Amino acid sequence: IRKAEKIVHVSEDLDSEDFYLLNKKTYERQGLDIPYSYQLFESLYESLKEQKALKVLYSKDKEDAIHSAALFAEDKSSIYYLISGSDERYRSSQSLTLLIHEGIRLANEKNKSFDFEGSMKKNLEKFFRQFGAVQKPYFDIRKDYSLKSYSHEEGGMNGVSGPKSTV
């Protein structure tokens, strides 16, 4: 955090397009396509903004180069770390760590909890734990709505099998 503070300063309210492009760079660096469209992201961004639940922090250096950005959502009891992005050229500045620290500080100032929203990726889990995050297990429950019609003789109830839940 101290290293980042010497290199960048934190600003607020990066526009949705610049944020999305920075987030997209993060996926591209990992050889992945960004899993959502700009339209979907903009809808989330504008909805949170309209509800006064959006907090976007970004870091930039003396030359106004943006190093990283983080998007947080806020409700009555918590601040949620939802999405971030970093420019590969500036990853060594540790600026994303500073932004998350600022998000935690903001939650503390507002007497709210800070929620990392978790990750299934081991490297992110390890990174989050450096901030004191506590792992909380959760279940992923899904329904299969593909209804299969078959006769009563085949074992179906009323000729239709119902949705199945998987854990």
Side-chain angles (χ1 to χ4, degrees), residues 22-23 25-26 29 67-69 84-88 91 95-96:
L22 193 59
N23 184 237
K25 283 182 183 181
T26 300
R29 181 181 71 242
H67 288 224
S68 60
S84 63
S86 297
D87 189 315
E88 183 175 16
R91 287 186 69 206
S95 60
L96 184 56

Side-chain angles (χ1 to χ4, degrees), residues 10 80 84-85 98 101 131 133 147 154:
V10 177
Y80 304 89
S84 63
L98 176 61
H101 173 76
F131 290 95
L147 297 177
E154 293 174 324

Side-chain angles (χ1 to χ4, degrees), residues 18-65:
D18 287 339
F19 189 99
Y20 182 82
L21 292 174
L22 193 59
N23 184 237
K24 188 176 179 182
K25 283 182 183 181
T26 300
Y27 281 96
E28 289 170 351
R29 181 181 71 242
Q30 298 171 43
L32 301 170
D33 291 328
I34 192 165
Y36 45 86
S37 68
Y38 173 69
Q39 291 74 22
L40 180 62
F41 174 75
E42 184 180 36
S43 175
L44 170 69
Y45 187 99
E46 292 302 324
S47 178
L48 289 171
K49 190 175 182 179
E50 190 175 292
Q51 296 173 46
K52 297 185 180 3
L54 176 70
K55 187 66 154 187
V56 175
L57 301 177
Y58 66 102
S59 59
K60 60 183 181 176
D61 59 27
K62 293 173 186 164
E63 288 79 37
D64 283 338

Side-chain angles (χ1 to χ4, degrees), residues 4-167:
E5 289 174 327
K6 292 175 185 175
I7 300 169
V8 297
H9 65 277
V10 177
S11 298
E12 295 185 24
D13 301 325
L14 187 65
D15 70 66
S16 63
E17 189 172 355
D18 287 339
F19 189 99
Y20 182 82
L21 292 174
L22 193 59
N23 184 237
K24 188 176 179 182
K25 283 182 183 181
T26 300
Y27 281 96
E28 289 170 351
R29 181 181 71 242
Q30 298 171 43
L32 301 170
D33 291 328
I34 192 165
Y36 45 86
S37 68
Y38 173 69
Q39 291 74 22
L40 180 62
F41 174 75
E42 184 180 36
S43 175
L44 170 69
Y45 187 99
E46 292 302 324
S47 178
L48 289 171
K49 190 175 182 179
E50 190 175 292
Q51 296 173 46
K52 297 185 180 3
L54 176 70
K55 187 66 154 187
V56 175
L57 301 177
Y58 66 102
S59 59
K60 60 183 181 176
D61 59 27
K62 293 173 186 164
E63 288 79 37
D64 283 338
I66 297 173
H67 288 224
S68 60
L71 185 146
F72 304 93
E74 184 175 350
D75 66 15
K76 292 177 184 173
S77 61
S78 300
I79 292 181
Y80 304 89
Y81 170 57
L82 295 184
I83 307 170
S84 63
S86 297
D87 189 315
E88 183 175 16
R89 297 173 294 175
Y90 308 114
R91 287 186 69 206
S92 65
S93 73
Q94 300 295 311
S95 60
L96 184 56
T97 303
L98 176 61
L99 296 180
I100 294 170
H101 173 76
E102 288 296 315
I104 293 168
R105 189 184 56 72
L106 179 66
N108 188 46
E109 282 177 5
K110 293 184 170 197
N111 201 28
K112 295 182 178 193
S113 63
F114 186 85
D115 192 332
F116 283 91
E117 283 297 297
S119 177
M120 299 300 286
K121 295 182 178 181
K122 286 286 184 195
N123 61 335
L124 287 179
E125 178 202 357
K126 185 178 175 184
F127 177 65
F128 291 165
R129 285 186 183 231
Q130 292 175 354
F131 290 95
V134 178
Q135 186 179 33
K136 292 185 180 179
Y138 68 94
F139 297 98
D140 184 12
I141 301 172
R142 301 171 192 224
K143 287 188 178 190
D144 179 0
Y145 288 101
S146 60
L147 297 177
K148 180 180 177 184
S149 222
Y150 54 97
S151 71
H152 191 63
E153 291 80 35
E154 293 174 324
M157 291 181 112
N158 300 327
V160 177
S161 70
K164 298 178 178 97
S165 298
T166 58
V167 178

